[in-house]
Each structure stands twice: as C-alpha cells, then as structure tokens.
Amino acid sequence: MFAGLPELGISNGEDLKETLTNCTDPLKAIDQFQMENGILLPTLQSALPFLDLHGTPRLEFHQSVFDELREKLMERVATIAEGKDEDRYIKLEELLEKSFPLVKMPSIQPIVMQVLKHLPKVPEKKLKQVMADKELYKVCAVEVKRQIWQDNQALFGDEVSPLLKQYIVEKEAALFSSDLSVLHNFFSPSPKTRRQGEVVLKLTQMIGKNVKLYDMVLQFLRTLFLRTRNVHYCTLRAELLMSLHDLDISEICSVDPCHKFSWCLDACIREKFVDAKRARELQGFLDGVKKGQEQVLGDLSMILCDPFACNTLVLSTVRNLQELLSQDALPRDSPDLLLLLRMLSLGQGAWDMIDSQVFKEPRMVRLTLSGNTLSACHDVNSEKSSLTYPTTLPESFSRYVQENRVACEIGLYYVLHIAKQRNKNALQRLLPALVDTYNDMAFGDIFLHLLTGHLTLLSDEFGSEEFCTAVFDNFLLTSFSSKENVHRHCLRLLNHLHQKVLASYMETLMKTLEPPKQSSESMKELYTLLKEKLEASKKSPPEPEEAPSLDLGLHPVAVPSTPTTPL
C-alpha cells in the first residue's frame, strides 16, 4: 500500500517497524517518528493535544487534511494545464516525476492520473508502465489511453471491437422489432438522434481529435464490411464522421475528404429527399474527385452504401420518376435523376470497389432500363375497370429486378409504394415476382422490415385466402426454410396480424412455421408468443382496429427549380 515512499525519502511502515525493533524507549521513538513524518507546521504541534482531548484520532485529522490538500493539488494541476505559461508542461512533468512512484497508492493515484491526463505528450517510459499494468491502464483517463492506442493498433482494436459488435446487434435488433408500423420504422430516427447512440458517443470520445485513431477506426470498419458485407458498418462510418462534425472537431473533419459530401448528404437524409440545390452540391463533390485521388471514391461509396442514404436516394428516385411519368418526359432528360442513379450505383458497388481496390465509378444504369422499369410498374398500378385490369406483370419488370442491383432496389421500393396505396391487386402480382431478385435483395432484412410494416395497411385483406397465398405461399414461404431471417419476419408479421388472418389458413401457417430444433432462441420465443396470442384470442373476440392516418412521405412531386488516409 505504501510502495514508492522510500524512493521519495519518506518513511513507511517498514521504517517504523525497524525503529521500534531497535529502540530502548518505544513511546519516545513513536513521538519522534510522528514529529518527523507528520505535517511540518510548527504552530500545529501545540494544537494537536486539543484534538486528543476531544477524542479525535490523529489518523482522522491527518486524513481530512490530506484529502483537502489532494483536491487543491488536483485543481492546481488543471489550472496550470489550462493556463498559458510556456513552461506549464515542464512543471507538470516535474510533478509527474515526483508523484509517479506513488501511482499504486490509492490515495495518491488520482493526483498522478490528473497529471497524466493533462500532459499532451506523456513520457514514453511512463506510458509503457501504465500499459503494462492492467489496473493502471483501466483507471487512466481516455486522454492517456489515446496516446497508448495510437502506437498500439491491436490494443485499440481490442477496445473498439466490443463496441462495433454492440452496434451491429442493436441495428439488427431494430430490424426485428416487434413493433410494425409504416410510420415508425427503422428509418424513422433523425440522423442527429442516431448519433446520440451509446456506441457512436463512446467511439467519438475515444478518438477525440486524434486523426491516427480515426483512421484506425475507419480501417476496422472497411475490413469488417469486406469480411461480412454488413451494410451497418457503412452507417457507422457516416455517423462517426458527422458526430465529430457536431462537436466541431476540425482537426479530423478538415482532413477527411468525405466531410462536406457527408454533411450535405446528412441534410438530405434528415429531409428524406434530395432537392435540386443539394443535388448540385453533391454532384460538385463527386465531379471534384481529381485524378490521383480516386481512392476517395472508396470511402464515398461506403457512405452512399449506408442504408439510410440508400433509403433517401431511392425514395427521391421514385418521386422523380413519378414526376417524369406525369409529364411524359424521358428519364435521360432529368439531371437530378442522373445524379440519383449515379449515387445509387456508387453505393451499391461499394463492396466490389473496396474489395477490388479499383477506384472508379461503376457503369451507369441504362436510363432506358429505369424508365422502362417504372413504366412497367405504372402498367401494374393502372386500374381502369375490373375487365381491363392487368393479370400479369410485364416481362421487363422481372428481368430488371433480377439483372441489375440498382433497378432491383428501385423496384423493391416501388412495391412498398404500391403497398402504401393499399393496391391489393397490384401487390398480389408483384410479390411473386420478387422471389427471384438480384442477390436475393427482396429477402434482405431491411426490405422485409419495411414490407411487413407496410402490410399492416392492408391488414383487412389478410382475411382473404387469395391475398394470404400471394404474401406467404408465393413469396415469403418460398425461402423461409433456408433463410432464418425470413422465417422470423413471417412470425413478426403474424404476431401483429394474426387476428386478421383466415382461421383455417392460420392453422396451416402455424404448422409450417414451427421452428426446427436448431433454430435460434429469438425465433422460438416469437413462435411461442404467437401461439399464446392465438390461444388467448380464442377465449376473447378481437377488438376492432382503427386504420392509421398517414403522412407517408411520397407527396405529389414538385421537384424544386476528408486525410484521413484513403483506402
């Protein structure tokens, strides 16, 4: 407990033991020891007997004085560090040399840690001593840890890794939320709200103003994105940069070539639409990537691969295409549409670009493809009379959603748009066409999360076997046995709509959807919950459900007239 005192010329317990062992008068030896090692204030000696008369132990008195002095010294350290004296850090280093031998003493340790915290460059020897001692490393301030981390990537990775895992778990949990709603879904929280999440705040604090640590985190995110293809790492890359922007950390923002692009895109995500002015700004940033700086496209593609960015771009694309159709205009005549498709292509090609290390924009989607895709959708959605209502999908629609990732993304969002319009007949023909899509995008968690929420708008239609067949037999159940996530989304939907589903059909679904033994606990719990709800509903009749009022975000369209070290 008193290690380090002899180094400073201060007596400790061993010295007292030796004194008492060799003395002839123990009481006199104790008095002498107290006088030499007590508070060196002459006027205090005459006052101490009064404390004795009041029954106050000397230890209690010395401890209270010590605590007071410690607080004063810690305040003084902060004052010196925040001052403008040129030699302020020399003073702190001198204090560190005197106090560091006592760093293992609990009562002195806070002072040592305070000095370490305020030194912009802790002596290498001291950093190594802190790093080598788990207990010291654990209690030292993040300002000290940053200095350790910047030269120890493996140690920094150990600290960051649990946070990155936590972030992915939270994002995936949000996609499997038990709440199904078209108005409140995965994309509802604003960018600023998302940046207040625990992981983003912790990472921001860990990085501080240290560009080297920021680069390390970006490299971790790129590596994990490549390894897992999990697009939530792209979200974190964007959120982290904008969190540092919120704190005005210019040391990092000014050297990240993606900063201004991300800032502009962040504003679009907040509005869930890319207006003409911001479209021009975004295009300027993309066009401004100079020869020799193409590696920046890797990070830009990652930012555009963020599902929140993709959601905004596709919603804007669908609105833009609707406007063009209403005006009988060609897609190639719209500069805004060209840019949206360009950014979607760049985002969708992020993994390929980073994996291949070939930093050039993907070939643009043929505009005729996008125009024909929406025209095909328009044909699906047109309804003049029951006699002329189309009964099949245009072949081009199925081909485009199978062959091109950007066209597939647009097609999926158009299906969501049809659901928002409560167009049951069009939906019944569209869903079976999604069984075979580019890279199975229709069975991804993000689309299924949105689709299940949108299907709540057609809850009454689930009383029809024809509609249930289109949703389940002809779409969801085609892959549920090979994809556990689809199985879980089926159960989420039924937990919400079970009272609307035809009883005989529900009975069949329950047999089909019973989880295999090797299923995850979360899926088994979902199934058990659904079973309990069905049993409870047999005992009490369902209450009538009010249809939600909608502000769906697809309004009538009137389109207004970073180094971080690159990859």
Side-chain angles (χ1 to χ4, degrees):
M1 182 177 176
F2 299 107
L5 287 176
E7 292 179 44
L8 301 177
I10 301 172
S11 300
N12 63 5
E14 289 300 317
D15 295 313
L16 179 59
K17 182 180 178 182
E18 186 178 340
T19 298
L20 291 174
T21 302
N22 299 324
C23 72
T24 54
D25 187 345
L27 292 177
K28 189 175 180 181
I30 291 172
D31 284 340
Q32 185 66 26
F33 189 89
Q34 286 179 325
M35 188 167 293
E36 291 174 358
N37 295 286
I39 298 172
L40 303 178
L41 193 63
T43 55
L44 183 64
Q45 298 305 315
S46 57
L48 286 175
F50 285 104
L51 292 174
D52 298 336
L53 290 172
H54 285 84
T56 303
R58 296 285 177 93
L59 173 62
E60 186 179 318
F61 166 71
H62 281 86
Q63 188 64 54
S64 66
V65 173
F66 179 85
D67 291 343
E68 185 71 21
L69 289 173
R70 182 178 57 200
E71 292 306 313
K72 293 289 183 187
L73 182 53
M74 289 177 69
E75 288 173 15
R76 181 65 183 146
V77 168
T79 303
I80 292 171
E82 291 162 9
K84 296 184 178 179
D85 292 349
E86 291 184 8
D87 63 345
R88 63 187 183 279
Y89 296 128
I90 295 173
K91 290 178 181 177
L92 292 181
E93 285 183 14
E94 289 173 353
L95 180 56
L96 181 64
E97 283 299 321
K98 291 177 181 177
S99 61
F100 198 81
L102 304 177
V103 70
K104 299 288 282 183
M105 189 183 294
S107 55
I108 299 290
Q109 191 178 82
I111 298 169
V112 184
M113 291 303 168
Q114 179 81 333
V115 177
L116 288 169
K117 174 183 175 180
H118 285 95
L119 275 174
K121 188 165 178 57
V122 175
E124 187 67 24
K125 185 180 176 183
K126 300 291 188 292
L127 277 182
K128 286 181 178 177
Q129 285 178 265
V130 171
M131 186 172 68
D133 189 309
K134 287 184 179 178
E135 291 303 314
L136 286 183
Y137 174 78
K138 187 177 178 181
V139 298
C140 74
V142 70
E143 289 86 352
V144 182
K145 287 181 178 177
R146 286 186 200 126
Q147 297 183 50
I148 294 172
W149 293 331
Q150 68 179 8
D151 296 316
N152 293 273
Q153 184 169 343
L155 183 59
F156 186 51
D158 291 341
E159 292 274 357
V160 168
S161 183
L163 290 174
L164 302 185
K165 287 178 184 173
Q166 180 186 337
Y167 184 85
I168 298 301
V169 167
E170 288 172 358
K171 282 282 184 261
E172 291 177 347
L175 287 171
F176 286 105
S177 165
S178 58
D179 295 327
L180 271 68
S181 169
V182 71
L183 296 177
H184 303 289
N185 56 43
F186 181 75
F187 294 111
S188 295
S190 71
K192 200 125 186 175
T193 300
R194 288 189 280 116
R195 293 197 287 274
Q196 299 308 307
E198 181 186 5
V199 172
V200 177
L201 290 179
K202 278 188 178 178
L203 285 174
T204 304
Q205 185 193 29
M206 289 169 75
I207 291 167
K209 299 178 180 181
N210 194 308
V211 175
K212 197 171 179 182
L213 294 180
Y214 178 64
D215 281 346
M216 282 188 203
V217 174
L218 294 194
Q219 195 54 48
F220 294 151
L221 294 176
R222 293 183 197 112
T223 303
L224 288 164
F225 176 50
L226 275 182
R227 190 181 299 161
T228 65
R229 289 184 181 260
N230 193 317
V231 292
H232 299 312
Y233 290 116
C234 299
T235 305
L236 184 53
R237 193 265 183 259
E239 285 181 350
L240 188 57
L241 174 55
M242 292 313 299
S243 177
L244 293 163
H245 166 89
D246 292 343
L247 295 171
D248 200 22
I249 308 293
S250 59
E251 290 85 349
I252 291 175
C253 293
S254 64
V255 295
D256 189 332
C258 300
H259 171 236
K260 289 184 178 177
F261 182 88
S262 296
W263 186 10
C264 184
L265 187 60
D266 188 71
C268 297
I269 293 171
R270 186 178 65 241
E271 302 297 330
K272 290 187 168 60
F273 182 63
V274 182
D275 62 34
K277 181 186 174 189
R278 291 196 179 111
R280 285 193 295 274
E281 288 181 40
L282 291 167
Q283 182 161 353
F285 296 134
L286 289 177
D287 293 342
V289 176
K290 297 174 184 174
K291 196 170 183 181
Q293 298 180 334
E294 291 88 355
Q295 286 183 325
V296 172
L297 285 173
D299 270 356
L300 288 175
S301 70
M302 220 174 146
I303 286 166
L304 287 167
C305 188
D306 163 22
F308 290 86
C310 186
N311 178 64
T312 301
L313 294 173
V314 184
L315 284 175
S316 301
T317 300
V318 173
R319 285 176 62 174
N320 198 299
L321 287 168
Q322 285 179 292
E323 175 70 11
L324 291 170
L325 275 174
S326 69
Q327 298 172 355
D328 287 332
L330 293 172
R332 63 171 174 262
D333 295 331
S334 171
D336 288 353
L337 179 59
L338 277 168
L339 173 68
L340 290 168
L341 293 174
R342 180 184 177 187
M343 290 193 291
L344 278 170
S345 296
L346 190 54
Q348 293 282 359
W351 191 92
D352 296 325
M353 185 184 295
I354 298 170
D355 181 53
S356 67
Q357 293 288 286
V358 176
F359 300 107
K360 61 181 182 180
E361 292 190 43
R363 286 183 62 189
M364 279 287 291
V365 182
R366 287 185 300 122
L367 287 179
T368 52
L369 178 152
S370 297
N372 288 344
T373 300
L374 199 76
S375 294
C377 294
H378 183 66
D379 293 340
V380 170
N381 197 28
S382 61
E383 182 175 3
K384 294 177 183 176
S385 71
S386 58
L387 295 175
T388 60
Y389 199 91
T391 56
T392 59
L393 276 179
E395 184 187 336
S396 55
F397 179 87
S398 300
R399 188 169 71 252
Y400 293 143
V401 297
Q402 289 171 26
E403 295 176 356
N404 187 283
R405 70 177 99 196
V406 175
C408 182
E409 193 77 60
I410 296 170
L412 293 179
Y413 269 74
Y414 193 78
V415 171
L416 297 177
H417 176 60
I418 292 296
K420 282 178 181 177
Q421 293 184 321
R422 294 184 172 92
N423 190 332
K424 176 193 74 169
N425 294 313
L427 200 59
Q428 284 179 179
R429 289 196 315 286
L430 281 165
L431 287 176
L434 302 184
V435 171
D436 187 9
T437 52
Y438 187 93
N439 204 24
D440 270 352
M441 287 169 67
F443 293 115
D445 288 328
I446 291 174
F447 175 69
L448 291 179
H449 168 88
L450 293 174
L451 179 65
T452 49
H454 284 56
L455 286 173
T456 60
L457 297 173
L458 294 125
S459 57
D460 289 337
E461 304 297 343
F462 282 87
S464 153
E465 186 168 347
E466 182 186 15
F467 188 73
C468 285
T469 299
V471 173
F472 292 102
D473 295 317
N474 296 343
F475 177 52
L476 292 172
L477 297 184
T478 61
S479 69
F480 86 103
S481 59
S482 60
K483 297 179 186 292
E484 181 170 305
N485 71 308
V486 180
H487 198 153
R488 284 180 68 184
H489 284 293
C490 287
L491 292 172
R492 285 178 63 244
L493 181 62
L494 290 170
N495 263 289
H496 190 82
L497 294 172
H498 63 90
Q499 290 180 321
K500 300 288 186 177
V501 179
L502 202 65
S504 57
Y505 194 86
M506 191 70 213
E507 192 175 329
T508 305
L509 280 175
M510 288 301 288
K511 291 176 183 175
T512 306
L513 292 171
E514 185 171 0
K517 289 182 181 178
Q518 67 272 22
S519 299
S520 65
E521 286 304 311
S522 53
M523 189 156 78
K524 289 176 182 174
E525 287 169 10
L526 265 178
Y527 185 80
T528 303
L529 179 63
L530 177 58
K531 205 170 181 180
E532 289 170 356
K533 284 182 177 180
L534 286 171
E535 288 170 2
S537 65
K538 287 176 185 175
K539 298 173 184 175
S540 58
E543 294 180 8
E545 184 180 297
E546 290 185 18
S549 62
L550 298 178
D551 178 13
L552 298 173
L554 280 173
H555 307 297
V557 180
V559 180
S561 20
T562 124
T564 89
T565 49
L567 289 165

